[in-house]
Amino acid sequence: MATLNDVSQCVLDGELDEVKALVQQLIDAGIDPITIINDGLIAGMNIVAPLFKSGEMFVPEVMESADTMNEGMKLLKPLITDGDIPSKGKIIIGTVNGDLHDIGKNLLIMMMESRGYTVVDLGVDIKEEAFVAAVKEHKPDIVGMSSLLTTTMMKMDSTIKQLTKEGLRDQIKIIIGGAPITQEFAEDIGADGYSEDASTAVELCDRMMT
Ligand code: B1M
């Protein structure tokens, strides 16, 4: 019988095929999908992170781990998304310009959809003008921005400035997150909210929508 540790190890080793088999075994054994995400897949990425930082893992290996995590998430997503819940609101989400990290963003999207939000995923490397165009097109209640790099976090500031310049700022709430982001930074750039993880981001949106 597969364990959550086996799933973490698979993410660390970048074992794409094996992760699918292990996640499926855990699903079949009745393990809660959120537990598989948090204590299996994310726990694996949490082992990868310090190894990448210390130079013991390199970009290609980290990408294999990221792909493995996403492969596992694909199996879990349908189980935590209830298509029958009426939409609580619309949110557009993107990773800011210059930044290609999308695992946290994808996780957030999965959680938002599972809690009844309609989500438009803009993807990664999203320029200021693309956020503006998306707000005009989709008319969301909330705009979410993700950044994992200290070199890209100021793109959140320039995006908010651009939305303000276009006269759109008052029509939306803006939430931000990602490893280098703090509550203080969010206040400094005039975002409406910050969350350190996907679960609290959903709670933050719930508060904003009431
Ligand atoms: Co990159 N990377 N990376 N990387 N990478 C970090 C971020 C880094 C901290 C690693 C390190 O050196 N310690 C470092 C940044 C340092 C800094 O800026 N100070 C770094 C670097 C330097 C780089 C490159 C420059 C490396 C290089 O090429 N030399 C390069 C940049 C590429 C680019 O973006 N232009 C790069 C590339 C990559 C990979 C492609 C190999 C891969 C990304 C694959 C992918 O995303 N598809 C990668 C990865 C995987 C990481 C680490 C190891 C893990 C990130 C991750 O997925 N974590 C990361 C180390 C770390 O974060 N400690 C690192 C798991 C994920 C579930 O967590 O994304 O934090 P996270 O999301 C969380 C919260 O932050 C929050 O909720 C999520 C879930 O709970 N959250 C939000 C995120 N967005 C939110 C938005 C919200 C609310 C909450 O509201 C809208």
Side-chain angles (χ1 to χ4, degrees):
M1 160 73 188
T3 65
L4 292 163
N5 277 343
D6 295 336
V7 172
S8 302
Q9 188 64 42
C10 243
V11 171
L12 178 62
D13 296 338
E15 301 281 358
L16 270 180
D17 289 331
E18 204 181 334
V19 83
K20 286 193 265 186
L22 292 177
V23 167
Q24 192 59 54
Q25 278 182 41
L26 292 174
I27 294 169
D28 293 344
I31 309 294
D32 174 33
I34 301 286
T35 303
I36 304 175
I37 291 173
N38 286 334
D39 300 342
L41 297 172
I42 294 185
M45 282 311 293
N46 287 342
I47 307 172
V48 169
L51 296 175
F52 185 37
K53 187 173 184 180
S54 64
E56 288 165 80
M57 274 182 89
F58 299 100
V59 169
E61 296 163 303
V62 177
M63 285 182 79
E64 279 175 16
S65 292
D67 288 346
T68 304
M69 165 141 184
N70 282 330
E71 207 58 42
M73 293 218 293
K74 273 189 212 162
L75 285 174
L76 295 161
K77 185 175 173 179
L79 304 179
I80 64 166
T81 304
D82 185 347
D84 295 334
I85 313 174
S87 180
K88 280 190 193 168
K90 190 188 276 184
I91 171 162
I92 63 170
I93 302 181
T95 302
V96 296
N97 182 211
D99 202 321
L100 304 175
H101 294 86
D102 68 355
I103 297 177
K105 170 186 71 64
N106 293 344
L107 193 63
L108 175 60
I109 290 171
M110 219 163 88
M111 300 268 184
M112 298 288 303
E113 288 178 337
S114 74
R115 296 278 286 271
Y117 286 91
T118 304
V119 182
V120 179
D121 179 10
L122 300 181
V124 297
D125 192 16
I126 303 304
K127 291 198 168 81
E128 293 86 339
E129 51 270 31
F131 275 105
V132 167
V135 170
K136 286 180 181 167
E137 181 186 348
H138 298 288
K139 302 188 174 30
D141 303 291
I142 299 171
V143 173
M145 288 187 272
S146 180
S147 160
L148 267 285
L149 298 171
T150 46
T151 48
T152 60
M153 57 197 276
M154 285 313 287
K155 293 287 177 177
M156 295 175 158
D157 181 43
S158 49
T159 301
I160 292 178
K161 287 198 168 86
Q162 193 67 31
L163 288 164
T164 306
K165 198 173 151 199
E166 296 278 339
L168 299 166
R169 180 67 185 92
D170 295 342
Q171 301 165 26
I172 48 172
K173 297 281 187 197
I174 297 178
I175 65 162
I176 63 172
I181 309 303
T182 60
Q183 178 64 38
E184 192 186 8
F185 176 74
E187 285 167 17
D188 283 350
I189 66 168
D192 298 301
Y194 152 77
S195 288
E196 68 173 340
D197 59 42
S199 305
T200 51
V202 178
E203 288 162 14
L204 177 66
C205 291
D206 284 350
R207 288 198 296 278
M208 284 176 170
M209 293 304 295
T210 51

